[in-house]
Amino acid sequence: MKRLIVNADDFGRHPLINRAVAQAVDEGGLLSASIMAGKEYFEEAVEIAKSRPQLGTGVHLTLVDGNPVLPPTEIPSLLMPDGNFFPDHGAFVKQFLKGKISRKEIRRELAAQTDKVLKAGLTPTHIDSHQHLHMLPGIFPLVLTLAAERNIKRVRISRGIYGNPFKPWPGPGDLVGKFGLEVLAYRNKRLAKKRGFAYPDNFAGQVAGGAVSAEFMSELADTFTEGTVEVMLHPGLDNEIIAEEVGWRHDYEGEFKAVCTADVKERLVGRGIKLINFGDL
């Protein structure tokens, strides 16, 4: 059986991201998204999800490049002086490896994010994270525990080199990151399986820069093997507006079009690939 999960990350981060998710679901381009509990447009994303029962919504756990759910006084080691998370995974990992970040505070904040999604009336289909931080040793087991306690038993296993990984060719640092994710994926798959979690057989997407394109999706369809593949993407409806407001330059529009074009959808159907969400695992 060939099954594909197209998952939109950063659901709830911006209205133009939310609208892209809604439109992509309506057009049959995706059936899965991961919601950011600490973002300003979380409530709007919740309403979009509730009005589209075919959309499986996961929790996009966030420890960088965002805002906490808990008061800053409860999680001081996770925050910059301005009360926000560290700007990116690099800054976070440096502090984490130095032992300056409290794992108890990590668990407390991630539990609060997950509980906020549940209290909003959504039943999460899965759990993943912003910039793949849930994959880190010391954090992945913690995430599995808090998810299992809330009856969430599906998780993203982020990988670095499946699919069409080196287009565009990454720099040395990005290449190391891709192979680092691959090592963590091997380890975390074993732990997730031992703990009774389901996860896709493979993970695809432009992990180190670039964006999923229609060409990427067509090539993936042509080379698709048996099993389930998750494709991660960040769709949006206006690159310039989103980039200016969220601080990340990315081809949001290109990723939206990549999964919504008729040619890609027809190619997937023609290759016998069924579009699903994490809840179908």
Side-chain angles (χ1 to χ4, degrees):
M1 183 180 294
K2 300 178 180 180
R3 304 193 298 177
L4 174 65
I5 297 173
V6 176
N7 190 88
D9 284 14
D10 295 1
F11 192 30
R13 191 176 192 184
H14 191 278
L16 292 173
I17 294 174
N18 288 350
R19 282 170 51 194
V21 172
Q23 191 171 331
V25 174
D26 294 344
E27 294 185 13
L30 64 81
L31 293 174
S32 185
S34 300
I35 196 167
M36 302 179 85
K39 286 300 184 179
E40 182 179 357
Y41 301 99
F42 168 78
E43 287 79 11
E44 179 185 68
V46 168
E47 292 308 310
I48 288 171
K50 286 182 176 180
S51 66
R52 291 164 176 81
Q54 71 271 41
L55 176 65
T57 306
V59 183
H60 200 48
L61 299 172
T62 305
L63 291 170
V64 297
D65 183 32
N67 319 99
V69 168
L70 291 176
T73 54
E74 295 187 26
I75 49 169
S77 75
L78 305 184
L79 306 177
M80 301 284 284
D82 63 2
N84 293 316
F85 290 132
F86 292 97
D88 55 41
H89 68 280
F92 177 91
V93 170
K94 286 181 182 178
Q95 297 297 108
F96 185 71
L97 293 178
K98 290 178 182 178
K100 294 185 177 181
I101 292 181
S102 165
R103 295 188 187 184
K104 288 184 179 179
E105 291 179 13
I106 291 174
R107 191 188 193 289
R108 195 176 301 139
E109 171 62 22
L110 297 186
Q113 292 178 21
T114 308
D115 289 342
K116 183 176 178 180
V117 175
L118 289 165
K119 289 175 183 177
L122 297 180
T123 301
T125 54
H126 66 286
I127 208 152
D128 57 39
S129 67
H130 195 49
Q131 298 189 19
H132 310 293
L133 288 183
H134 76 293
M135 295 289 290
L136 289 175
I139 296 182
F140 191 75
L142 176 157
V143 166
L144 294 185
T145 296
L146 73 86
E149 289 172 351
R150 291 154 179 81
N151 201 33
I152 305 169
K153 297 303 294 283
R154 302 170 184 88
V155 64
R156 168 183 289 167
I157 300 293
S158 309
R159 291 186 61 187
I161 61 173
Y162 179 78
N164 185 18
F166 304 132
K167 298 178 183 178
W169 185 263
D174 289 337
L175 193 60
V176 170
K178 283 176 178 283
F179 279 100
L181 268 181
E182 198 71 16
V183 172
L184 291 175
Y186 176 78
R187 174 179 177 176
N188 290 344
K189 275 187 175 184
R190 297 176 65 184
L191 180 58
K193 185 176 182 180
K194 183 178 180 180
R195 299 278 294 272
F197 277 75
Y199 48 84
D201 300 299
N202 279 301
F203 173 87
Q206 295 293 350
V207 176
V212 171
S213 64
E215 291 75 19
F216 180 101
M217 293 299 297
S218 295
E219 183 174 340
L220 181 66
D222 290 341
T223 59
F224 209 102
T225 56
E226 292 295 313
T228 304
V229 175
E230 180 196 357
V231 172
M232 172 195 74
L233 70 160
H234 299 77
L237 297 183
D238 190 307
N239 288 347
E240 291 304 315
I241 292 176
I242 298 173
E244 183 177 349
E245 295 186 17
V246 309
W248 181 39
R249 295 216 158 267
H250 181 71
D251 192 3
Y252 305 93
E253 295 174 63
E255 293 206 319
F256 169 76
K257 293 174 183 175
V259 297
C260 289
T261 59
D263 181 67
V264 168
K265 291 187 288 184
E266 290 170 5
R267 189 179 293 260
L268 291 172
V269 172
R271 300 296 186 275
I273 300 167
K274 182 180 180 182
L275 195 64
I276 65 168
N277 63 49
F278 276 85
D280 298 312
L281 294 179

